[in-house]
Amino acid sequence: MENQVKTVRRQAGWTQQQLSDATGITRQTVILIEKGTYNPSLHLCLEICYALDRTLDDLFWIEKERRTDEKNYR
C-alpha cells in the first residue's frame, strides 16, 4: 500500500521508534508500513494520523488513476 508515512514522519523530525512508541506498534511494523508491504487497519491508520497530526488523505490517499494503473501491472 503506497503511502506518505515515511515522508511526513521525517518532515516531523520523528524516528521510526518515536512513531512506533506513539502508536503502540513495533518499529518493524512502521518499517513495513513505510515500505508499503503491510496494510494497516483503519484504526492503525488513524493512530498514525493522530500521532503525526495529519489526515488520512495526507498520508494514505492514492489517486484513482494511479491505483488503476498499479492493478494493471500486477
Side-chain angles (χ1 to χ4, degrees):
M1 173 180 190
E2 187 177 334
N3 62 69
Q4 297 299 313
V5 174
K6 183 175 185 176
T7 301
V8 172
R9 176 185 57 76
R10 285 182 166 177
Q11 288 172 349
W14 285 35
T15 64
Q16 291 171 331
Q17 187 62 54
Q18 288 171 312
L19 182 57
S20 70
D21 291 344
T23 55
I25 60 176
T26 65
R27 189 176 69 81
Q28 288 76 17
T29 301
V30 172
I31 291 168
L32 294 174
I33 291 169
E34 289 182 349
K35 286 183 177 181
T37 57
Y38 177 82
N39 288 332
S41 67
L42 178 57
H43 177 76
L44 181 51
C45 288
L46 289 171
E47 289 299 320
I48 294 168
C49 290
Y50 298 147
L52 295 173
D53 195 28
R54 295 296 183 99
T55 67
L56 281 170
D57 286 353
D58 291 340
L59 297 180
F60 296 101
W61 183 259
I62 300 172
E63 294 297 326
K64 183 177 180 181
E65 297 81 25
R66 232 159 129 200
R67 191 180 80 228
T68 302
D69 289 345
E70 288 174 5
K71 285 182 182 178
N72 291 335
Y73 290 115
R74 291 183 185 167

